[in-house]
Amino acid sequence: MVAKSKSAASLRLVTANRLTDGVVVFLGPDGQWTASIAESAAVATSEEAEHLLAVARDSALRAEIVEPYIIEAERQDGVPVPERFRERIRVTGPTIQTPGS
Amino acid sequence: MYNYSEVDQRLVDERVQQFRGQVDRRLAGEIAEDEFKPLRLQNGLYLQLHAYMLRVAVPYGTLSSLQMRKLAHIARRYDRGFGHFTTRQNIQYNWIKLEDAPDILAELASVQMHAFQTSGNCIRNITADHYAAASADEVDDARVWSEIVRQWSTLHPEFSFLPRKFKIAVSGSPADRAAVEVHDIGLKLIRNAAGEVGFTVLVGGGLGRTPIIGKVVSEFVTADKLLGYLEAILRVYNEAGRRDNIYKARIKILVQEMGIETFRAAVDAEWERSRDHAPVATPEFIAEIRNRFTDPDFETNLDDGDLLETLRYSPAFAAWFQGNVAEHRQKGYAIVNISLKPIGGIPGDATAEQIDGVADLADRHGHGEIRVTHTQNLVLPHVRRRDLPKLWRALDMLGLATDNVGRATDIIACPGLDYCSLANARSIPVAQRLSERLAVLDKEFDLGPLEIKVSGCINACGHHHVGHIGLLGVDKNGEEFYQITLGGSDAPGSTIGTILGPAFSSARVDEAVETIARTYLELRQPNESFLAAWRRLGATPFKERLYATA
Amino acid sequence: MPLLKGGRPVNDSWQRVADGDQLPEGGIIVSLERWQSERETLLARGQPLGVALPNTADVAPLQSDLVHFGVIVLHLPKFTDGRAYSQARRLRDQLGFAGELRVTGQILPDQIFFLQRVGFDAFETDDPRVVARWAETQAPFSAVYQPAADGRRAILSPSG
């Protein structure tokens, strides 16, 4: 695993877990949640990210999701890829071959 | 197996009702997450990286085949077809939906199971000797006392909001297979000079950020005093344990700060003050609990069937018998360890098919009883010796006949960063790679008993501090590194492992562990185990070879 | 702050008096410090008296004073801080306190059962959900394993 250097062109997006089933979701541009990071609202500045987080917190109050937070990503082949390894695992699932995976 | 009383059953059913109400309110938005979180934690439901994880209690690691089948069913119906057995004898499911959780708990309640207090700042699952009622060396059946302590600690109104989690282990034998020295409270069953059964009580052991070996707070506590004495300890902790810093909140820190003498005096004083109102396990109650454990009607005059012949003609069977089968107190019987560590596999995981398979084998060959060990393996405690060849072949068909119990490839690993939101690094892939590498070395050179334990973060759920070789995953600038410790042990005379030096990257850690193994092979004396060699040699030869400049 | 006793909002017959404030007529609740420093004055009033304890207070030294208190108030600074549960149980079981035992602070509805079991009989809370769900949070469990301060017969009660 190669360490990612912090890029000035980092994107920011908001992720959470869906309340009912715990599925990892990302806040989309329309304020809806999506399980696909490709469809997430990815913004350039932390101010915009804070705004997204505020939208996410309202959604938490409506019992739609839990524990929203901001993550940083880089666009690779048109799709945001999280900078932190932990967040990449959250997107792709466990790195090991589980039964039925 | 323990058979529920009417009260036991009512309580699990009522808990399901209570939890269902809590979940309904949560889903309807009537309660917020900060209020709901402690409620769901007290029913074992965590929010992990990918989804909710449910930790089902396996009290003192004991299961009936009926219960085992239910665990398989839950894996199939509500999860992705497998479960993970943990270092506290529980089972975890990784992709549970919150909306299914009440139904899952209801299904568990229907077979006398639950997820009470498997998380949260309360008293957790009471773990115990996985050979209880089967080994010849026991003073008394650890399960009986574990059940009594379980009842005392369940829904305890005074101790449900402790400074931090609280873990109790019970050992029934001098061999201590329950790691009592590294628990918040460790109970060792012993007999006094008069032959009475009682407990040596250890307090303040634990792993995690500050690993500490427990200290004796009382050499002998009588059975009738046990619960009152435990209450005195818990009360001292509840009142004086730190609440300002979660890394300093376990009882081990309090004992360390007070000193064991002062701590003991405080517990004794509290016992005196509270003894008139203390809970008591009366002789009648103890007898009732004992009776609720149905133990097998052992057959007598059993012959060994074709056991000896199979040992002669099948080296594979002989290796499995040598490695995984232990002596039973009853003539004609044996204790069978089932390794959940196939070479290169995921430690502690079992598919629904395997879980069902073990249930069937327990029925056919094991009087319907299964145990879970704190090393993430399973046990069939009561197997007729003459059934061993047949059992072995059936286990092999299930992929459960790896003959490595207690050996280098019987690696303990926490779920790590692949699942756990607390982790800094992955543990499973390291364990898998080490398993493959060491299998070769072990086969060729016989590494003997060698306990390797991997944790993905300082919370030490992989028990790395008490591994003969321990690995702790850390995050260094976004990369996974592993710090190696040597010489830990959770056997009697437990020791915390010694850090050897700088951590190794994931590209180099496999080779580092192999170097350690080879160092042992090079320097060991005849019949000397890894742990004994370490204790004789110390760190120097290992450090020299690990950190030799190229 | 609304007070719940017997599951219903009741009028609080006690007045909380801050340190340094003049003592009004009627039943008053003072801080532990004030009790300790103005003991004689407070007793000389000859009127009902109560004390509010921080959750770090050792209640044992108060044993001989308990006869003077009609109410003791204990505190849950956060619902996760369970020290008041032990204070309550000590006051009831070990020290035999028979007056009103009140809890204040962050009280969640699902804690009512445990709070009652350790001896609380009055709940100071403005959380409407505690009132709304009172009946249901009284007895989520029809049996108890361990004795506590509520006098309820338990599986592990001493025999006799």
Side-chain angles (χ1 to χ4, degrees):
Chain A
M1 184 198 80
V2 178
K4 299 237 167 241
S5 56
K6 261 201 157 346
S7 150
S10 258
L11 297 174
R12 289 161 179 79
L13 45 106
V14 168
T15 184
N17 292 76
R18 203 154 50 200
L19 175 68
T20 51
D21 58 9
V23 167
V24 173
V25 289
F26 305 92
L27 189 62
D30 54 356
Q32 297 297 307
W33 294 95
T34 169
S36 164
I37 196 171
E39 294 166 15
S40 64
V43 296
T45 67
S46 38
E47 292 76 32
E48 289 168 285
E50 288 297 333
H51 172 72
L52 288 179
L53 188 58
V55 171
R57 287 192 178 128
D58 283 342
S59 177
L61 290 174
R62 290 194 302 274
E64 291 162 0
I65 50 98
V66 288
E67 300 189 11
Y69 60 100
I70 296 166
I71 61 177
E72 293 188 350
E74 267 188 357
R75 203 169 285 282
Q76 289 179 20
D77 296 328
V79 175
V81 174
E83 293 205 342
R84 280 186 73 198
F85 186 38
R86 178 192 191 279
E87 303 308 332
R88 291 201 297 281
I89 292 179
R90 226 164 137 268
V91 171
T92 57
T95 65
I96 53 198
Q97 184 99 9
T98 55
S101 69
Chain B
M1 278 71 64
Y2 176 70
N3 292 303
Y4 270 14
S5 69
E6 198 235 325
V7 166
D8 296 332
Q9 185 65 54
R10 255 196 282 150
L11 289 178
V12 294
D13 292 336
E14 287 164 357
R15 177 62 144 203
V16 173
Q17 286 306 106
Q18 184 194 44
F19 185 60
R20 198 181 282 286
Q22 291 163 350
V23 172
D24 287 347
R25 272 191 293 282
R26 179 71 185 101
L27 293 174
E30 288 167 29
I31 45 176
E33 189 63 11
D34 58 358
E35 183 186 334
F36 181 67
K37 188 168 173 181
L39 302 176
R40 69 166 161 78
L41 287 178
Q42 295 207 357
N43 284 286
L45 197 61
Y46 282 88
L47 185 62
Q48 296 270 269
L49 282 187
H50 310 292
Y52 294 98
M53 179 268 280
L54 178 66
R55 181 180 294 149
V56 173
V58 182
Y60 37 90
T62 299
L63 289 164
S64 67
S65 52
L66 178 71
Q67 293 170 326
M68 197 70 168
R69 287 194 185 90
K70 181 62 75 175
L71 295 180
H73 164 77
I74 289 169
R76 259 192 295 266
R77 175 152 183 208
Y78 298 101
D79 203 275
R80 294 194 184 175
F82 67 99
H84 173 75
F85 290 96
T86 77
T87 53
R88 295 218 79 238
Q89 299 180 307
N90 293 319
I91 183 170
Q92 291 179 177
Y93 298 101
N94 296 302
W95 282 284
I96 296 299
K97 299 182 176 146
L98 176 60
E99 54 194 358
D100 286 342
D103 285 346
I104 296 170
L105 292 189
E107 294 223 37
L108 289 169
S110 76
V111 293
Q112 304 186 357
M113 293 188 79
H114 59 80
F116 274 103
Q117 298 170 207
T118 53
S119 183
N121 292 339
C122 50
I123 301 168
R124 302 286 190 88
N125 188 28
I126 315 301
T127 53
D129 181 354
H130 46 277
Y131 285 178
S135 65
D137 67 352
E138 74 179 16
V139 168
D140 196 6
D141 186 348
R143 300 170 308 164
V144 171
W145 299 99
S146 301
E147 174 59 26
I148 291 170
V149 174
R150 182 192 78 85
Q151 292 192 12
W152 162 75
S153 64
T154 298
L155 300 171
H156 199 302
E158 192 184 346
F159 303 130
S160 291
F161 296 93
L162 296 170
R164 201 74 170 90
K165 62 180 108 171
F166 205 91
K167 300 180 178 178
I168 301 176
V170 184
S171 167
S173 133
D176 181 21
R177 290 173 282 264
V180 295
E181 294 179 51
V182 289
H183 274 77
D184 296 295
I185 287 179
L187 297 174
K188 283 181 162 166
L189 278 157
I190 59 169
R191 278 185 199 282
N192 65 5
E196 286 177 286
V197 169
F199 301 86
T200 296
V201 182
L202 295 160
V203 73
L207 305 176
R209 196 164 292 247
T210 324
I212 301 178
I213 304 296
K215 300 190 171 47
V216 174
V217 65
S218 174
E219 289 287 353
F220 193 82
V221 173
T222 53
D224 58 320
K225 184 176 167 180
L226 176 68
L227 297 180
Y229 194 74
L230 292 181
E231 288 221 337
I233 294 174
L234 264 297
R235 189 165 300 123
V236 169
Y237 173 57
N238 191 42
E239 290 183 324
R242 287 179 66 166
R243 292 181 189 258
D244 58 313
N245 179 346
I246 62 161
Y247 302 120
K248 302 258 178 204
R250 298 290 287 273
I251 195 173
K252 64 188 176 187
I253 302 298
L254 181 65
V255 173
Q256 193 176 51
E257 285 179 359
M258 287 174 77
I260 187 63
E261 307 293 336
T262 311
F263 184 81
R264 181 184 301 119
V267 172
D268 287 344
E270 184 55 37
W271 156 251
E272 285 306 324
R273 278 200 289 258
S274 60
R275 58 194 298 171
D276 291 341
H277 297 94
V280 179
T282 61
E284 294 74 32
F285 180 75
I286 296 164
E288 189 200 317
I289 296 296
R290 225 180 261 284
N291 283 336
R292 291 194 169 282
F293 281 92
T294 49
D295 277 322
D297 278 323
F298 290 120
E299 295 168 57
T300 51
N301 298 320
L302 287 171
D303 57 45
D304 276 355
D306 62 352
L307 172 61
L308 292 174
E309 204 191 314
T310 316
L311 283 169
R312 267 195 295 272
Y313 75 68
S314 169
F317 175 74
W320 176 84
F321 179 85
Q322 166 90 346
N324 292 18
V325 177
E327 238 181 80
H328 197 284
R329 64 183 164 95
Q330 179 78 15
K331 190 170 190 307
Y333 281 80
I335 299 171
V336 173
N337 286 279
I338 299 174
S339 168
L340 295 182
K341 323 282 178 42
I343 306 304
I346 299 173
D349 276 14
T351 63
E353 290 65 45
Q354 287 174 323
I355 295 172
D356 270 333
V358 171
D360 287 343
L361 291 175
D363 278 340
R364 224 172 306 141
H365 303 298
H367 291 274
E369 186 157 342
I370 302 119
R371 306 282 172 78
V372 184
T373 76
H374 74 279
T375 53
Q376 303 176 310
N377 287 327
L378 300 174
V379 171
L380 294 178
H382 310 300
V383 178
R384 286 177 293 261
R385 282 168 58 91
R386 68 169 182 220
D387 288 4
L388 290 173
K390 221 167 164 185
L391 174 63
W392 171 69
R393 279 182 218 110
L395 285 171
D396 197 34
M397 300 267 290
L398 289 168
L400 294 175
T402 320
D403 58 358
N404 62 353
V405 170
R407 302 188 67 87
T409 53
D410 183 8
I411 300 174
I412 295 357
C414 70
L417 191 56
D418 281 303
Y419 289 101
C420 179
S421 44
L422 301 173
N424 289 316
R426 290 172 298 164
S427 9
I428 298 171
V430 179
Q432 290 179 294
R433 294 191 318 259
L434 287 177
S435 170
E436 276 166 348
R437 195 182 266 249
L438 294 172
V440 176
L441 211 58
D442 195 17
K443 193 172 173 91
E444 195 170 344
F445 298 111
D446 186 0
L447 292 165
L450 177 47
E451 296 175 11
I452 301 177
K453 302 184 196 248
V454 185
S455 299
C457 79
I458 196 59
N459 287 297
C461 301
H463 290 190
H464 66 280
H465 293 298
V466 290
H468 301 164
I469 301 176
L471 267 66
L472 168 64
V474 297
D475 177 331
K476 265 185 170 179
N477 298 317
E479 269 197 65
E480 292 170 309
F481 272 70
Y482 298 88
Q483 185 170 78
I484 297 180
T485 53
L486 289 191
S489 167
D490 64 5
S494 296
T495 45
I496 304 296
T498 303
I499 297 173
L500 282 188
F504 291 86
S505 66
S506 52
R508 301 199 46 225
V509 68
D510 304 5
E511 193 192 311
V513 174
E514 181 166 346
T515 299
I516 291 167
R518 287 188 181 278
T519 305
Y520 158 65
L521 289 172
E522 186 196 330
L523 299 176
R524 69 177 167 181
Q525 289 173 346
N527 299 314
E528 188 180 46
S529 72
F530 181 91
L531 188 62
W534 156 265
R535 286 174 172 166
R536 173 175 60 86
L537 295 163
T540 310
F542 295 95
K543 274 167 128 151
E544 280 172 355
R545 285 158 181 76
L546 274 179
Y547 297 105
T549 43
Chain C
M1 177 72 69
L3 185 68
L4 290 177
K5 273 193 89 160
R8 302 175 307 106
V10 298
N11 286 326
D12 191 353
S13 54
W14 298 86
Q15 295 168 81
R16 237 354 225 275
V17 182
D19 295 354
D21 279 4
Q22 239 191 352
L23 303 175
E25 293 299 299
I28 57 168
I29 298 170
V30 298
S31 71
L32 179 62
E33 294 86 69
R34 190 159 195 179
W35 162 252
Q36 287 164 337
S37 58
E38 296 177 37
R39 197 175 188 281
E40 297 315 314
T41 317
L42 290 163
L43 286 177
R45 284 171 79 244
Q47 293 179 63
L49 186 59
V51 70
L53 306 179
N55 76 344
T56 48
D58 181 1
V59 302
L62 292 171
Q63 179 158 28
S64 52
D65 292 345
L66 294 182
V67 68
H68 302 299
F69 302 136
V71 62
I72 296 178
V73 184
L74 301 180
H75 188 220
L76 293 173
K78 290 185 293 189
F79 73 81
T80 49
D81 185 333
R83 284 177 278 194
Y85 292 78
S86 285
Q87 288 177 313
R89 196 156 167 222
R90 276 193 202 288
L91 283 167
R92 290 300 197 200
D93 281 348
Q94 294 175 18
L95 306 180
F97 178 66
E100 175 181 310
L101 192 56
R102 186 186 291 196
V103 64
T104 184
Q106 193 185 24
I107 302 166
L108 301 185
D110 285 294
Q111 291 175 303
I112 296 296
F113 179 64
F114 286 163
L115 289 166
Q116 288 182 319
R117 290 216 65 216
V118 296
F120 289 106
D121 56 358
F123 303 83
E124 213 174 78
T125 174
D126 54 11
D127 185 342
R129 298 173 302 181
V130 175
V131 181
R133 295 188 48 220
W134 183 263
E136 164 211 332
T137 55
Q138 281 298 284
F141 298 100
S142 60
V144 293
Y145 281 128
Q146 63 291 102
D150 56 356
R152 191 170 174 177
R153 186 108 198 111
I155 301 290
L156 291 163
S157 286
S159 61

